[in-house]
């Protein structure tokens, strides 16, 4: 999550949706924000205390955390936005990310299908790096009553276009979107990773995302 009091925006960072690139593009704005140093000091104090002070909005916090913590007039005055991604594609991206950067969390499952079945097993012990990527994306966008409270939902599939649209809403121009964490070990379309069983696992687990965000396994070609 990235909060800018000066530019009055709140970026809700959902894992594996291009958020690292968005944060990298917007992070330099912090130096122009008079609230940066107080926010930085609070963050450092929280870090030094093992986050026992709870003075920092976590990187992948849901928008409801900001709504509950910030004064209502501050929250309502922010332009709140996030990016989402096709759940089937997201799971393939997550698999490659973990295999490349945190292979110890594969649980001995180097095959995508085996890993996905193990990852979605409700009996598996909790592990932050795994469970963050199987939370519903729509949970990041809603308040305690289930109402969507972000103002703009961009899509990973058209990241540059939607990022430019978000910047225009904020009132920013000339912000370049760098490509961070671009995978070099993935060459196949996400659909090639699935069989009927694993397709249905994702369809069931992410049913609400698929319905509310309008995703499908075989998206219609662009016209």
């Amino acid at each position: 999550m990235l909060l800018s009091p000066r530019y009055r925006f709140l970026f809700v960072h959902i894992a594996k949706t291009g958020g690292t690139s968005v944060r990298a593009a917007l992070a330099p704005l912090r130096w122009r924000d008079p609230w940066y140093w107080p926010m930085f000091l609070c963050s450092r104090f929280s870090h030094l205390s093992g986050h026992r002070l709870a003075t920092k909005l976590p990187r992948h916090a849901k928008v409801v955390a900001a709504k509950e913590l910030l004064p209502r007039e501050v929250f309502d005055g922010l332009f709140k936005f996030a990016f989402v991604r096709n759940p089937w594609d997201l799971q393939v991206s997550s698999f490659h990310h973990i295999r490349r950067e945190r292979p110890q969390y594969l649980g001995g499952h180097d095959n995508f299908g085996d890993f996905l079945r193990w990852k979605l097993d409700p009996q598996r012990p909790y592990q932050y790096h795994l469970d963050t990527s199987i939370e519903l994306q729509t949970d990041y966008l809603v308040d305690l009553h289930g109402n969507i409270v972000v103002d703009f939902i961009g899509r990973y599939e058209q990241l540059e276009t939607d990022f430019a649209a978000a910047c225009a809403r904020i009132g920013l121009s000339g912000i370049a979107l760098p490509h961070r964490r671009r995978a070099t070990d993935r060459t196949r379309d996400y659909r090639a990773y699935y069989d009927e069983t694993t397709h249905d696992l994702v369809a069931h687990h992410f049913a609400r995302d698929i319905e509310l965000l309008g995703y499908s396994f075989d998206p219609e070609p662009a016209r």
Side-chain angles (χ1 to χ4, degrees), residues 43-90:
S43 175
R44 293 306 300 166
F45 281 128
S46 181
H47 177 75
L48 292 172
S49 73
H51 297 295
R52 293 178 177 85
L53 299 178
T55 56
K56 178 182 178 181
L57 290 169
R59 181 184 185 91
H60 294 300
K62 298 175 174 65
V63 71
V64 68
K67 183 174 183 183
E68 295 300 306
L69 287 170
L70 294 172
R72 180 173 180 178
E73 65 275 11
V74 174
F75 181 82
D76 289 345
L78 295 171
F79 171 67
K80 299 167 285 290
F81 69 106
F83 288 87
V84 296
R85 186 173 186 171
N86 185 307
W88 286 281
D89 185 33
L90 190 152

Side-chain angles (χ1 to χ4, degrees), residues 1-4 9-13 22-23 26-27 30:
M1 185 171 284
L2 189 63
L3 169 67
S4 174
F9 72 77
L10 179 73
F11 169 55
V12 181
H13 185 174
V22 173
R23 290 179 65 94
L26 296 176
R30 294 180 297 178

Side-chain angles (χ1 to χ4, degrees), residues 26 31 71 100 104 122 124 132 134 156 187 223:
L26 296 176
W31 299 103
R100 182 177 61 252
Q104 68 272 24
R124 172 183 56 78
T132 300
I134 61 173
Y156 176 85
T187 58
R223 298 179 179 178

Side-chain angles (χ1 to χ4, degrees), residues 118-138:
W118 174 71
K119 185 181 184 183
L120 293 177
D121 182 351
Q123 301 303 316
R124 172 183 56 78
Y126 174 83
Q127 209 297 316
Y128 171 81
H129 295 289
L130 301 179
D131 287 81
T132 300
S133 65
I134 61 173
E135 292 189 20
L136 295 182
Q137 297 176 72
T138 45

Side-chain angles (χ1 to χ4, degrees), residues 95 98-99 102-119 124 127 130:
F95 168 69
I98 292 171
R99 189 171 68 173
R102 295 183 173 89
Q104 68 272 24
Y105 297 137
L106 286 173
H109 304 283
D110 196 51
N111 172 271
F112 172 74
D114 293 340
F115 175 68
L116 182 66
R117 284 185 283 269
W118 174 71
K119 185 181 184 183
R124 172 183 56 78
Q127 209 297 316
L130 301 179

Side-chain angles (χ1 to χ4, degrees), residues 143-217:
D143 62 13
L144 292 174
H145 303 288
N147 301 311
I148 293 179
V149 292
V150 296
D151 304 299
F152 180 83
I153 302 174
R155 295 182 180 267
Y156 176 85
E157 294 78 16
Q158 51 192 45
L159 183 61
E160 292 189 3
T161 300
D162 285 353
F163 176 70
C167 287
R169 293 280 295 275
I170 297 168
L172 299 171
S173 61
I175 305 294
L177 185 66
H179 293 285
R180 298 295 178 90
R181 295 188 178 179
R182 173 176 282 182
T184 59
D185 54 349
R186 175 183 169 185
T187 58
R188 295 183 293 163
D189 182 271
Y190 69 85
R191 288 166 290 193
Y193 288 79
Y194 288 90
D195 57 24
E196 183 176 354
T197 299
T198 52
H199 165 277
D200 291 347
L201 278 175
V202 172
H204 175 73
H205 186 87
F206 297 98
R208 191 175 73 179
D209 282 357
I210 292 166
E211 178 182 2
L212 295 182
L213 300 176
Y215 279 113
S216 64
F217 186 69

